[in-house]
Amino acid sequence: MKQRKILLTENEIPEKWYNIIADMPNKPLPPLHPGTKEPIGPEALAPLFPMALIEQEVTPEKWVDIPEEVRDVYKMWRPTPLYRAYNLEKALDTPAKIYYKYEGVSPSGSHKPNTAVPQAYYNMKEGVKKITTETGAGQWGSALAFACNMFDIACEVYMVKISYHHKPYRKVMMNTWGADVFASPTDLTEAGRKILAQDPDSPGSLGIAISEAVERAATDPDTKYSLGSVLNHVLLHQTVVGQEALVQMEKAGDMPDIVIAPFGGGSNFAGLSFPFLRLNLEEGKNIRCIASEPASCPKLTRGIFRYDFGDTVGMTPLLPMYTLGHNFVPAPIHAGGLRYHGAGVIVSQLLKDNLIEAIAHDNLEVFEAGVEFAKHEGIIPAPEATHAVATVFKEAQKCKEEGVSRTILFNLCGHGNFDMKAYEDYFAGSLVRHELTQDAIEASLAELDTPIPQ
Ligand SMILES: *Cc1c(COP(=O)(O)O)cnc(C)c1O
């Protein structure tokens, strides 16, 4: 009997998160103050985040306990299933074995609640009354709205105005879980009013929405701010994904040669791959971990390793990361969640040390792969997840050409059921292959006057 679906019981939800920093040969460089450019300590983050999360941001401990209250909420959808993609393997006529971890079974449809839930929990424990955040495509805003509702905290989401109008049902999801959603720029903040004075019809941007959410948190002692990717504690929380997958692969009697995940800021990639990288670092295993990014926002494959701001305005600490420059504006392709100029600090250091790999795919190639996947495996991947599918196709093809069987595991980190507009545009032929010139990248990088890491 072919076993297609590998399931775990509630008791097999991990009890600890895995902190890869403990095993990294070169530790991440410190963040710098945006003004003085001197290293800053964790206390600089105190106005924005609860202490428990700041401690997790810098902890050297290898394993961090998952609170029982958080595991109880995880039980609503975790452990998530691991699938063997028999139909897809057959269709691709490849000797490769293909597995995928499916995070689309969460309430909001992606991996993001894995960190939204502990973030809301620690805020609640420290008496925070309200959490603010920004959202672009709406995946993060809906995950945080769900999590805040579970712990009785108010949630305020600044949603990029153009997405607010293009993706009305994401907004209604957030409202259903009790969150207030505002089309950013708003007239509720200094930052928003300033933009509206210059351009009353501004479509908004993630950079503006971040400024608004941060300002609200910084100016109200009962309010904190929350981020859904990039930061160390976010990557830490996502490691439940890979720890479960490791046990599931063992149950299937298999072990991946290659682990693949789409890459925006690094959270779902870290979540799946770090527990497998642990085996490379601890036991000398040689599992290839590949991050899949869009060719229109290729910070890992064409950016540089440099200190840069996390936001467009230049308010955040300077972080050592692969970046295209904080002024880089990606073309409006549909994988909203991958349109970020930089990469998380840990993942950047791992790439610099050649411990992980990266690949870029153009926007037609990924939808082609996504549609093919849906036809054989049923699930319609989120536009972000189709990037990983495209990398899987490439590696499966290589196996076929070389006549070798390798085991491939990838992160199907969300479904695309709220992203039908993107698929509609693809079917209508209105998506064009987007070429990003070297001149455009160099022009953006030339604007950086931030320190170069030694
Ligand atoms: C947010 C998001 C991403 C990109 O963010 P990462 O932090 O890189 O994971 C990718 N896929 C989905 C479905 C998302 O919601």
Side-chain angles (χ1 to χ4, degrees):
M1 252 296 279
K2 284 184 167 181
Q3 191 186 8
R4 195 181 132 73
K5 198 172 179 182
I6 298 117
L7 298 174
L8 301 176
T9 65
E10 276 180 12
N11 296 336
E12 291 172 287
I13 295 174
E15 288 174 359
K16 293 172 193 295
W17 291 298
Y18 167 57
N19 177 20
I20 197 169
I21 292 176
D23 288 331
M24 287 169 73
N26 295 315
K27 307 299 177 198
L29 298 167
L32 305 180
H33 187 277
T36 66
K37 307 208 169 27
E38 293 298 321
I40 54 166
E43 66 289 346
L45 299 171
L48 293 184
F49 300 102
M51 273 328 287
L53 292 175
I54 294 172
E55 279 160 21
Q56 289 180 358
E57 192 63 22
V58 295
T59 183
E61 294 299 323
K62 182 159 171 165
W63 299 100
V64 176
D65 286 333
I66 305 177
E68 233 8 82
E69 295 92 327
V70 170
R71 286 183 83 241
D72 271 344
V73 181
Y74 279 169
K75 282 175 191 165
M76 293 171 78
W77 74 96
R78 303 209 71 83
T80 60
L82 180 88
Y83 290 94
R84 171 87 185 264
Y86 284 112
N87 294 354
L88 183 67
E89 289 170 17
K90 198 164 158 219
L92 295 176
D93 187 25
T94 174
K97 293 191 256 179
I98 302 173
Y99 292 85
Y100 56 95
K101 180 74 165 156
Y102 184 44
E103 289 294 308
V105 292
S106 81
S108 64
S110 79
H111 63 288
K112 290 215 167 72
N114 297 331
T115 184
V117 169
Q119 289 197 44
Y121 167 79
Y122 290 119
N123 274 286
M124 176 275 290
K125 288 291 273 188
E126 293 183 29
V128 174
K129 299 283 181 285
K130 185 195 282 183
I131 304 181
T132 63
T133 200
E134 71 286 338
T135 199
Q139 286 274 23
W140 171 240
S142 37
L144 191 67
F146 157 74
C148 285
N149 179 59
M150 293 308 297
F151 293 109
D152 274 328
I153 304 179
C155 181
E156 199 171 278
V157 181
Y158 291 81
M159 187 170 188
V160 178
K161 192 183 274 172
I162 188 161
S163 307
Y164 183 94
H165 293 302
H166 280 172
K167 302 189 89 180
Y169 298 131
R170 276 282 169 195
K171 170 189 172 284
V172 179
M173 262 176 109
M174 294 183 242
N175 292 148
T176 305
W177 284 313
D180 291 320
V181 186
F182 303 106
S184 165
T186 71
D187 59 6
L188 301 171
T189 66
E190 279 299 321
R193 285 191 291 271
K194 207 167 124 195
I195 302 285
L196 288 175
Q198 290 161 2
D199 177 7
D201 299 320
S202 165
S205 72
L206 217 41
I208 298 168
I210 293 176
S211 304
E212 291 206 273
V214 167
E215 182 185 322
R216 290 289 276 191
T219 53
D220 178 353
D222 289 333
T223 299
K224 298 278 183 199
Y225 169 71
S226 170
L227 253 183
S229 184
V230 177
L231 296 181
N232 300 351
H233 66 268
V234 179
L235 275 53
L236 176 79
H237 298 154
Q238 292 293 350
T239 59
V240 290
V241 177
Q243 291 186 69
E244 285 178 9
L246 185 54
V247 177
Q248 286 164 310
M249 291 299 302
E250 281 166 355
K251 287 200 178 183
D254 228 334
M255 194 42 78
D257 300 299
I258 307 173
V259 175
I260 296 168
F263 194 97
S267 79
N268 90 83
F269 171 79
L272 183 66
S273 71
F274 285 5
F276 290 94
L277 275 170
R278 178 173 72 80
L279 304 182
N280 291 359
L281 296 166
E282 265 184 5
E283 301 171 14
K285 280 212 166 56
N286 203 6
I287 301 167
R288 292 174 58 206
C289 296
I290 311 176
S292 311
E293 64 178 5
S296 56
C297 193
K299 59 255 184 175
L300 298 178
T301 52
R302 295 174 75 187
I304 55 167
F305 186 72
R306 175 99 187 229
Y307 271 104
D308 197 6
F309 296 105
D311 64 332
T312 318
V313 190
M315 295 198 311
T316 70
L318 286 158
L319 301 174
M321 61 184 182
Y322 278 91
T323 179
L324 294 163
H326 59 275
N327 290 322
F328 182 80
V329 182
I333 60 153
H334 281 290
L338 306 186
R339 298 184 64 220
Y340 184 66
H341 67 271
V345 169
I346 295 176
V347 192
S348 293
Q349 187 66 48
L350 292 170
L351 183 65
K352 183 161 181 289
D353 292 340
N354 290 318
L355 296 170
I356 61 169
E357 302 169 40
I359 184 172
H361 298 283
D362 77 67
N363 52 340
L364 289 185
E365 184 188 0
V366 300
F367 275 103
E368 211 171 284
V371 170
E372 203 53 29
F373 180 87
K375 283 184 170 163
H376 300 294
E377 294 294 320
I379 300 163
I380 301 175
E384 293 89 353
T386 61
H387 292 70
V389 180
T391 309
V392 171
F393 279 27
K394 215 173 181 134
E395 291 297 330
Q397 178 64 25
K398 248 191 252 170
C399 288
K400 186 176 171 180
E401 285 162 9
E402 295 169 15
V404 290
S405 169
R406 294 190 190 97
T407 300
I408 301 172
L409 165 66
F410 81 96
N411 204 355
L412 186 52
C413 56
H415 65 66
N417 297 0
F418 290 90
D419 303 286
M420 285 301 113
K421 178 81 176 77
Y423 280 86
E424 183 180 45
D425 290 351
Y426 170 68
F427 292 132
S430 52
L431 290 189
V432 289
R433 202 175 293 272
H434 177 258
E435 303 283 350
L436 178 62
T437 65
Q438 193 56 30
D439 282 354
I441 294 177
E442 275 162 24
S444 173
L445 292 175
E447 288 176 35
L448 288 181
D449 59 359
T450 53
I452 297 170
Q454 295 308 309

